[in-house]
Amino acid sequence: MTVLVPAWSPTTRLLLLLLLSSELSETQDCSFQLSPISSDFAVKIRELSDYLLQDYPVTVASNLQDEELCGALWRLVLAQRWMERLKTVAGSKMRGLLERVNTEIHFVTKCAFQPPRSCLRFVQTNISRFLQETSEQLVALKPWITRRNFSRCLELQCQPDSSTLPPPQSPGALEATAPTAPPSPLLFLLLLPTGLLLLAAAWCLHWQRTRQRMPRAGEQVPPVPSPQDLLLMEH
């Protein structure tokens, strides 16, 4: 059996490659031509907050990197995942309110975010505080959502672990705690001959001066003049 394969021209193959490459690049794109954030998102969040128990526990990331462009988007990614979880345990009325808020932040799923890294640390907070922070992130992101490309934000970044960083020290503290280097044995051995030579030279000089002061054999030492003789010599 003979299979007929269409004869594609080089131009057709080039067009197919361009289309394929553009589709692959779009999967890594994270930008929005139209704002996905509505003008009344705060009302929807407030209605949900009024209906919920204020102390219902949820978790938020405590060590996300303080990144000006990506920080708000990262927190909305985690908030949207919490919304999906809450919808699975909520009643019909609650589920509708959750869905309204979830619609406001569902746009983050349009970007191919990588799974959260294991370095993320989570702390417990209440649902009221959680929704307030979600509203704050939308407020911060709304002016920039159509003006920036967030493609470099697709991986949630953690702050450096403080336990692995050395404590800061002032220059004075470093000088005070710096150990004093012990004298080198090699330096001591190099200076020892020089010291011995100086000591020997000093002893020889002292011996020569002492010998010059001593009278030779048969030489008479002139008497030491008395004070009266000195007075007569001056006159």
Side-chain angles (χ1 to χ4, degrees):
M1 180 178 180
T2 304
V3 179
L4 297 178
V5 178
W8 289 344
S9 66
T11 305
T12 305
R13 294 177 183 176
L14 180 59
L15 289 175
L16 289 174
L17 289 174
L18 290 175
L19 289 173
L20 181 61
S21 62
S22 64
E23 290 179 359
L24 292 174
S25 63
E26 286 177 359
T27 59
Q28 298 299 321
D29 182 64
C30 187
S31 59
F32 306 90
Q33 295 181 356
L34 300 176
S35 177
I37 305 173
S38 69
S39 58
D40 61 342
F41 67 86
V43 175
K44 299 174 184 177
I45 293 177
R46 185 167 58 251
E47 289 176 353
L48 175 61
S49 181
D50 293 341
Y51 196 84
L52 287 168
L53 294 175
Q54 299 300 307
D55 58 350
Y56 186 87
V58 293
T59 57
V60 294
S62 62
N63 64 333
L64 276 174
Q65 192 74 262
D66 292 330
E67 216 281 344
E68 181 180 5
L69 179 64
C70 305
L73 198 63
W74 290 339
R75 287 167 175 81
L76 289 178
V77 169
L78 299 177
Q80 195 276 330
R81 295 180 183 185
W82 252 111
M83 287 295 168
E84 296 292 347
R85 263 188 242 177
L86 292 173
K87 283 166 55 180
T88 61
V89 297
S92 58
K93 174 66 175 178
M94 180 70 68
R95 192 180 300 114
L97 295 173
L98 286 168
E99 184 57 39
R100 292 185 67 194
V101 175
N102 188 46
T103 302
E104 294 293 334
I105 58 178
H106 192 264
F107 66 88
V108 298
T109 62
K110 303 299 181 182
C111 301
F113 284 96
Q114 298 182 18
R117 301 176 62 183
S118 59
C119 63
L120 282 179
R121 301 290 178 263
F122 293 88
V123 296
Q124 183 173 301
T125 187
N126 57 61
I127 191 69
S128 178
R129 179 61 185 168
F130 169 79
L131 291 175
Q132 180 183 347
E133 291 181 353
T134 300
S135 181
E136 292 173 355
Q137 305 308 329
L138 287 171
V139 170
L141 200 58
K142 188 175 176 61
W144 308 104
I145 192 68
T146 59
R147 300 166 59 184
R148 298 289 181 90
N149 191 308
F150 301 92
S151 298
R152 69 178 183 86
C153 304
L154 298 180
E155 182 179 4
L156 280 66
Q157 299 292 333
C158 307
Q159 294 180 4
D161 189 356
S162 59
S163 62
T164 62
L165 297 177
Q169 293 185 356
S170 62
L174 291 175
E175 293 176 2
T177 57
T180 304
S184 174
L186 180 60
L187 179 63
F188 177 77
L189 293 176
L190 292 176
L191 293 178
L192 181 61
T194 304
L196 292 176
L197 289 175
L198 292 175
L199 183 62
W203 184 85
C204 291
L205 182 61
H206 175 74
W207 181 79
Q208 290 179 357
R209 290 179 178 177
T210 304
R211 186 175 180 181
Q212 289 176 357
R213 293 192 186 100
M214 295 176 60
R216 297 185 178 87
E219 181 180 359
Q220 294 184 355
V221 179
V224 178
S226 63
Q228 291 83 1
D229 295 337
L230 291 175
L231 291 175
L232 290 174
M233 291 173 63
E234 289 179 0
H235 291 288

